[in-house]
Amino acid sequence: MSILAIVISLLLLMFLAYRGISVLLLAPLMASLAVVLSGDAAFLLPIYTDTFMNALGNYVIQFFPLFLLGALFGQLMADSGAAQSIANGIVKKLGTHHVVLTVVMACAVLTYGGVSLFVVAFAIYPISRELFRSADVPKRLIPASIALGSFTFTMTALPGTPAIQNAIPIPYFETNSFAAPGLGIIAGLIMLGLGTAYLQSRVKKAAQNGEGYGQHTEREAEPDQEEAPATALPLWLAIIPIIMVIGLNALFTYGVFPAIDLSFISDEFENVSPTGQSGLWAILIALLSASAWLIITRWNHWQDLKASVNKGCFGSLLPIFNTASEVGYGAVIASMAGFAIIRDSVLTAFPGNPLISEAMAMSVLAGITGSSSGGLSIALETLGSEYLAMAQEAGINPELMHRVATLAAGGMDTLPHSGAVITLLTICGLTHRQSYGNVAMVTIALPVFALISVITLGTLFGSF
């Protein structure tokens, strides 16, 4: 009965999330439903106040600084005009003859530099709209182009990306954001190359059919999303914060922290492991430094710095509490007797290769929750220690486990009920029927192929 309760709860969570109900409410309600259906209704309140809220609170404690600084940096990049300058600069370099590649690369540069994918979508959509219309390319391909540049290789594959998905495995595997860099680059090239080729083939087919841009009632971004900065920002100045995020992250990860004896931290704080936390600290320092650079260098050009800072900070709250609520839900499910059976089935499905077992767990949970960060957090919170032990026993480098985990979470997270997909389609003024097929190809099919490639290479040659 416990397994049936879990299945019913998960299906309802997925269905109601697809219908647009907030996971802040859904997560505790569906967790409660699972508890009641499993016959443990008498323990409902203590499970909520202790298990659910304890897991939610621990996640916020661990990752809130990253969400906060990431959202702040993204907002400063948008309001300073840096994001728009970078996008316009790429448009000038690549022109309108390669509109898909232009949009993909503009999104990729911004997201790899630490700008939130939602901020990127709002910033790039108006440019994409004009590019596709001028080149007479179907508008229905815009969401897939933005998704390929924002939701795939820069989020889960490229080494050093400050995306939350790349940071979540760090404390569980005691790695850093540059884990398995060679394999990450290979996976990134697979997604970028095949994704761009696929979308370009759709462009050619549409041209052969005489489809054109199409008739649309254009959806305009909110006025404050397209508002130009007081003064134009030169491209060379706009790119500096991006370089700072990537460069400082690498500097502290491979240079500063390894050169310092951090054992004194463990002496003072018993629950802090510098080895497991330094990777997160490096990302935080990089984002904070880049944000400070933007504020200082644009000091006399802000229209309303206080409003930008506040908006960025407030913008971090909904994403982290959405994800933390999903983690709380996962903790409740993990405490049920039925989950032990499911867990053991997953762990023993491929006893000779924990990489495949891990990939399956991350993919399933990311697909169910419609969130790569949510699925990744739930899976690692409940199974992280087991996977680390399995990897050590099999002689697998934890860096490989890290990279496989992020790639797997970024494969099935864009099913139709995904909040990111729904938001993107809303921004573009399109429907699932018009655009989802192409979005699914570049954000599900190709990332899964890249994941299989990395598992194969990692099994044969190890982490590199």
Side-chain angles (χ1 to χ4, degrees), residues 128 133 136 167 169-170 233 261 304 314 366 378 417 452:
S128 306
R133 182 158 46 195
D136 205 26
I170 291 175
L233 190 64
D261 182 7
D304 192 341
F314 294 150
I378 293 171
H417 65 288
I452 294 172

Side-chain angles (χ1 to χ4, degrees), residues 116-167:
S116 163
L117 60 88
F118 296 110
V119 172
V120 170
F122 272 113
I124 297 300
Y125 169 67
I127 299 172
S128 306
R129 182 184 62 214
E130 299 308 318
L131 279 174
F132 276 59
R133 182 158 46 195
S134 63
D136 205 26
V137 173
K139 181 186 177 182
R140 61 183 176 82
L141 296 176
I142 291 179
S145 301
I146 293 176
L148 176 59
S150 304
F151 297 3
T152 60
F153 59 97
T154 58
M155 185 178 79
T156 62
L158 295 187
T161 175
I164 184 65
Q165 292 80 1
N166 193 37

Side-chain angles (χ1 to χ4, degrees), residues 92-327:
K92 290 179 181 178
K93 293 293 184 182
L94 297 180
T96 59
H97 298 295
H98 306 282
V99 292
V100 168
L101 181 60
T102 298
V103 172
V104 170
M105 293 309 298
C107 293
V109 169
L110 292 172
T111 50
Y112 189 47
V115 181
S116 163
L117 60 88
F118 296 110
V119 172
V120 170
F122 272 113
I124 297 300
Y125 169 67
I127 299 172
S128 306
R129 182 184 62 214
E130 299 308 318
L131 279 174
F132 276 59
R133 182 158 46 195
S134 63
D136 205 26
V137 173
K139 181 186 177 182
R140 61 183 176 82
L141 296 176
I142 291 179
S145 301
I146 293 176
L148 176 59
S150 304
F151 297 3
T152 60
F153 59 97
T154 58
M155 185 178 79
T156 62
L158 295 187
T161 175
I164 184 65
Q165 292 80 1
N166 193 37
I168 289 173
I170 291 175
Y172 297 97
F173 296 132
E174 295 190 351
T175 50
N176 57 63
S177 60
F178 291 87
L183 291 170
I185 291 173
I186 290 173
L189 291 175
I190 289 173
M191 286 184 262
L192 172 60
L194 295 182
T196 303
Y198 168 78
L199 291 178
Q200 194 58 44
S201 72
R202 300 300 90 194
V203 172
K204 291 181 179 179
K205 184 175 181 179
Q208 292 171 355
N209 295 335
E211 180 177 348
Y213 181 76
Q215 297 297 321
H216 301 277
T217 301
E218 295 299 336
R219 189 268 176 207
E220 300 293 337
E222 297 299 324
D224 63 331
Q225 296 287 351
E226 295 195 62
E227 187 173 311
T231 58
L233 190 64
L235 179 59
W236 68 268
L237 192 58
I239 203 73
I240 289 178
I242 301 292
I243 296 173
M244 288 181 66
V245 170
I246 300 170
L248 288 175
N249 186 10
L251 176 64
F252 278 88
T253 297
Y254 290 113
V256 177
F257 286 139
I260 301 175
D261 182 7
L262 299 177
S263 59
F264 68 94
I265 295 179
S266 297
D267 296 336
E268 187 69 24
F269 300 91
E270 295 181 0
N271 296 325
V272 175
S273 169
T275 304
Q277 295 292 325
S278 59
L280 283 174
W281 295 341
I283 299 176
L284 296 178
I285 292 171
L287 288 171
L288 181 61
S289 300
S291 298
W293 169 271
L294 277 168
I295 292 174
I296 295 171
T297 57
R298 300 291 291 168
W299 186 260
N300 295 324
H301 302 286
W302 289 101
Q303 291 183 336
D304 192 341
L305 177 59
K306 182 175 71 174
S308 295
V309 171
N310 288 342
K311 189 174 183 179
C313 293
F314 294 150
S316 68
L317 298 179
L318 184 59
I320 190 170
F321 277 100
N322 275 340
T323 306
S325 294
E326 292 170 345
V327 172

Side-chain angles (χ1 to χ4, degrees), residues 10 13 23 27 52 55 59 63 168 172 322-334 339 343 361-362 364-387 409:
L10 289 173
L13 175 64
V23 74
F52 183 93
Y59 184 85
F63 292 110
I168 289 173
Y172 297 97
N322 275 340
T323 306
S325 294
E326 292 170 345
V327 172
Y329 170 84
V332 173
I333 297 300
F339 183 81
R343 180 196 61 201
M362 305 300 166
V364 169
L365 287 170
I368 289 170
T369 60
S371 166
S372 54
S373 57
L376 190 61
S377 299
I378 293 171
L380 290 177
E381 185 69 25
T382 56
L383 300 172
S385 58
E386 284 90 344
Y387 280 127

